[in-house]
Amino acid sequence: MAASNDTILGVLILARHGDREGFYQDPTTYTATTTVITPLGTQQEFQLGQELRSIYLNASSPSFISGVNGTLVNQTQVYVRADAGGELGVIYDSAVALLQGLFPGNSNYTTDLANGTTVEGALGGYQYVPIESVEPNEDVSLEGYTDCNTFDDWTTEFYNSPAFLQKSNESAAFLSQLPPYLDGRPVTLENMIYDFMNVQFIHNAAFAKALPPTFLAQALALASYHEYGVFSSPQAFAGRTILPIMLSELESIANASNPLKLAYQSLAYKPFLSLFNMTGVAQQNPELAGIVNYAAAVALEVRQPSSGGEPVIRFNFKNGTGQEFVTYNFLGTTGDVPLSALVNHVNPALINSTADWCTVCNNTQDRGCGALALAASQASAAAVKANVGHHQRISPVGAGFLGAGLTLAVFLAMFGVLAFVGVLTVGRGRSKARSTGSKDSEEKA
Ligand SMILES: *[C@@H]1O[C@H](CO)[C@@H](O)[C@H](O)[C@H]1NC(C)=O
Ligand SMILES: *[C@@H]1O[C@H](CO)[C@@H](O)[C@H](O)[C@H]1NC(C)=O
Ligand SMILES: *[C@@H]1O[C@H](CO)[C@@H](O)[C@H](O)[C@H]1NC(C)=O
């Protein structure tokens, strides 16, 4: 992050969760039925938060965000979302830990009571920043790849591609050496087991000692090939669904009349793969075409060049704890890129709403698609019946609103149903309850 005279308007942070442990209980699917962040994971995220603080919230840093309040949180300047999907609380808890490093306790976080007493916030004036828990069933933006038939078809196609089959052949000899380390897991390139090995390698001393020295790196290389292939173009669902909210955050930051200065999304690794592909950063920097480490982070800076002109984006990436932020070229060019160029580049691929997602993913059941399909069929049934004059038997949503106002009534009712089930909410609904999540394929790799 080189110094310059640009004004830093703000930053969008995308960070992977920290170290976690899973208990792999299902003998068939090996789904990690319980997975929790570890103390190591909280340290990784906390340190990332501290580092981001030193870069963006420290008034003497060259990248200090213009006008940000780095001591006492101004909640209109900060917007945080966390994926509440298959990794249960791991991603949410990562956001909590990162925020503790980003906005540490401050003795000025106090309130003067009517009776004359001054009270400091808990934990030495710790400031609680709202975290929007993004439930996959209510909002497709952070896990656009689950329950998506088109994505599944693409994945199968990739597995059957000549390149994948060749990779599979090439890796067969290596894979055949793995069973002693996998506790009975089936070893195939489709079902790469890097994640299991990595968790064991970090937490299980006997495993770490027994594993031949190159095996983890070899397994990672294969998992990276596998996951980049699955999550990059042409489907790139993880990126296509997260980008609309990312672009709206970047545009809010760039817009002087919007207070937003620091947006942060706490994520699994999958969106990184899609985004690295869709922004071209992986094409220009092949080392980015793979799985990122725990607590890896992208920091997209929104900068107002001192020379004037429109705001530009600088792409910084840090590959986990102990690594430095590095600035990368992207979008097939060098240096910072105008925000509008990024928008134009990704625009054709965006999946902007749940309705779009249901169509693109060929899903009429899950994640709000059922309600959308029902509302659409009720609306069309109502319209058909209205035309033939059987007003009394119009679908329930139309009942009681017969006559001239029928179409409008049905439309409004449909809108009401959608709003009720949450499918019309695209981001910015704060502080939903945490849930225990839905399926996710994090453990596959
Ligand atoms: C003022 O109110 C606070 C909060 O209820 C209480 O803890 C404190 O003891 C009160 N102080 C006095 C002087 O009454
Ligand atoms: C993304 O990766 C695919 C290969 O998986 C590649 O063919 C495509 O060109 C990449 N996308 C972009 C935008 O460069
Ligand atoms: C990030 O780290 C992983 C694991 O160490 C590695 O495979 C990958 O190439 C790294 N990416 C970059 C951009 O350094």
Side-chain angles (χ1 to χ4, degrees), residues 220 224 287-288 291-293 317 319 328:
L220 172 60
S224 281
E287 70 275 22
L288 281 158
I291 295 174
V292 302
N293 285 318
F317 172 68
N319 198 10
Y328 288 93

Side-chain angles (χ1 to χ4, degrees), residues 137-157:
N137 286 335
E138 296 173 0
D139 182 330
V140 297
S141 63
L142 300 189
E143 294 203 5
Y145 43 90
T146 50
D147 301 315
C148 179
N149 295 308
T150 315
F151 173 75
D152 294 349
D153 292 347
W154 156 248
T155 304
T156 306
E157 200 177 306

Side-chain angles (χ1 to χ4, degrees), residues 113 115-117 119:
L113 302 183
N115 70 7
T117 306
V119 177

Side-chain angles (χ1 to χ4, degrees), residues 139-202:
D139 182 330
V140 297
S141 63
L142 300 189
E143 294 203 5
Y145 43 90
T146 50
D147 301 315
C148 179
N149 295 308
T150 315
F151 173 75
D152 294 349
D153 292 347
W154 156 248
T155 304
T156 306
E157 200 177 306
F158 174 59
Y159 290 162
N160 291 327
S161 68
F164 188 89
L165 295 174
Q166 188 188 337
K167 194 78 171 176
S168 190
N169 284 336
E170 285 169 11
S171 55
F174 169 64
L175 295 177
S176 72
Q177 296 175 271
L178 293 183
Y181 310 103
L182 294 176
D183 201 17
R185 279 163 186 75
V187 187
T188 63
L189 188 53
E190 289 88 339
N191 184 27
M192 263 305 294
I193 22 46
Y194 166 71
D195 192 71
F196 173 80
M197 291 171 70
N198 190 39
V199 169
Q200 297 300 313
F201 189 77
I202 294 170

Side-chain angles (χ1 to χ4, degrees), residues 55-105:
I55 297 170
Y56 295 112
L57 301 179
N58 174 353
S60 55
S61 158
S63 301
F64 179 63
I65 296 171
S66 168
V68 76
N69 193 334
T71 47
L72 292 180
V73 181
N74 173 344
Q75 291 194 359
T76 67
Q77 296 184 338
V78 182
Y79 178 40
V80 182
R81 309 172 86 223
D83 179 1
E87 288 183 273
L88 310 179
V90 172
I91 296 176
Y92 188 96
D93 292 344
S94 294
V96 174
L98 187 150
L99 288 170
Q100 287 179 313
L102 190 62
F103 291 110

Side-chain angles (χ1 to χ4, degrees), residues 33 35 82-93 131-139 143 431-439:
T33 49
T35 176
D83 179 1
E87 288 183 273
L88 310 179
V90 172
I91 296 176
Y92 188 96
D93 292 344
I131 302 171
E132 180 182 327
S133 169
V134 180
E135 313 295 320
N137 286 335
E138 296 173 0
D139 182 330
E143 294 203 5
S431 306
K432 291 175 206 155
R434 265 176 79 174
S435 85
T436 46
S438 70
K439 77 172 171 149

